[in-house]
Amino acid sequence: ALIGAVLAMYAGVVTSMFDPELGESLRMMMEAMPQMFAAFGMASPGSTLAGFLANYLYGFLYIALPLVLILLLNSRFLVRWIDRGSMAWLLAAPLSRRRLAAVQAAALAGAVTLLCLWIAGLGLGFAAAMFPGELEMSRYAAMNLGLWALLQLLAALCFVAGCAVPDSRFATGTGGGICVLFVLVDMLAGMDEGWQTLRFFTPMTLFDPVGLADGTADLWPAAVLAGAALALYVLGIAVFRRRDLSL
């Protein structure tokens, strides 16, 4: 609820800023600090409402805030049960390891999906209230589909770490650390053209919200991200089935 409220606040504030006069002020700020704006995925203000939202929300905020929720949820599933010894009670029941891990993976993926639906609904609601008819639905849907695929991949990485790493603190730190590293590398690559090659080492490069908003990017990268996320979920379940649990 807290993450959802914060997302709603940012969505309302940023959507209300879609104004030509204010947009000129933002453009001047961007020209004064181009590297800082580029680091947070705000290199292009966009001439349409979809492009504006893609630049100021989908480039960083809609990735960083959901990542916080993903880390919190992942730590409350298999990781906490193993750490507290509750896993012994669950495995004593007529419940296979595969089913137990699969249910947790489905719960995490479902939570990410609900969060993405909330984000998409916020944009639709605020756009309809403030700028009716300005939001291009097909491109806005593509932006949200790409965001969903990326967040599913980050969640799957955290899930695999929770299934593989024995200590709860290290499990949360490993998955979260990898995801945060991806975000930081993407920010560094956006600050300087000399670091552009770093984008090839992070899945963040497969999500181009501005390109999806203006119609210059394809949806196949979202399919790649979603496929990789599914593979990681399956890998996490397989690792948990063969893991030696000290209960």
Side-chain angles (χ1 to χ4, degrees):
L2 179 61
I3 296 294
V6 174
L7 289 170
M9 179 194 69
Y10 277 113
V13 171
V14 172
T15 303
S16 65
M17 293 168 62
F18 181 64
D19 180 78
E21 296 182 2
L22 186 57
E24 184 61 30
S25 300
L26 291 172
R27 187 175 290 104
M28 293 175 62
M29 292 177 59
M30 185 187 68
E31 292 175 354
M33 299 179 292
Q35 292 182 332
M36 182 63 68
F37 274 71
F40 289 93
M42 303 177 183
S44 174
S47 58
T48 64
L49 180 56
F52 186 84
L53 296 178
N55 185 63
Y56 290 103
L57 288 176
Y58 287 78
F60 179 76
L61 287 173
Y62 278 179
I63 298 174
L65 290 176
L67 181 57
V68 174
L69 180 62
I70 288 171
L71 296 178
L72 291 174
L73 289 176
N74 189 64
S75 67
R76 291 175 179 270
F77 289 157
L78 295 176
V79 174
R80 176 174 292 187
W81 291 352
I82 296 173
D83 189 50
R84 292 186 175 183
S86 303
M87 187 61 68
W89 295 91
L90 293 172
L91 294 179
L95 183 68
S96 66
R97 285 195 182 192
R98 179 195 299 176
R99 183 177 178 184
L100 179 63
V103 168
Q104 296 307 297
L108 183 59
V112 172
T113 301
L114 288 176
L115 185 64
C116 290
L117 290 174
W118 173 250
I119 288 174
L122 288 173
L124 290 174
F126 285 120
M130 300 178 188
F131 307 99
E134 289 286 339
L135 190 61
E136 297 183 54
M137 297 303 299
S138 60
R139 295 181 180 180
Y140 182 70
M143 289 161 48
N144 285 279
L145 185 60
L147 177 66
W148 172 82
L150 176 63
L151 293 180
Q152 288 290 2
L153 177 64
L154 298 181
L157 282 170
C158 294
F159 179 75
V160 170
C163 291
V165 181
D167 187 86
S168 62
R169 293 170 298 176
F170 291 136
T172 304
T174 301
I178 293 174
C179 294
V180 172
L181 179 62
F182 284 154
V183 175
L184 294 178
V185 168
D186 186 68
M187 293 175 62
L188 182 61
M191 292 179 64
D192 192 336
E193 293 184 358
W195 297 98
Q196 287 292 321
T197 54
L198 291 177
R199 292 188 182 274
F200 294 102
F201 299 95
T202 168
M204 310 288 291
T205 189
L206 293 176
F207 177 53
D208 182 12
V210 176
L212 293 171
D214 59 24
T216 59
D218 297 321
L219 270 177
W220 67 262
V224 173
L225 290 171
L230 179 60
L232 287 173
Y233 279 126
V234 173
L235 175 63
I237 295 170
V239 169
F240 182 73
R241 286 184 59 200
R242 292 168 173 79
R243 177 174 171 180
D244 183 16
L245 297 173
S246 300
L247 302 175

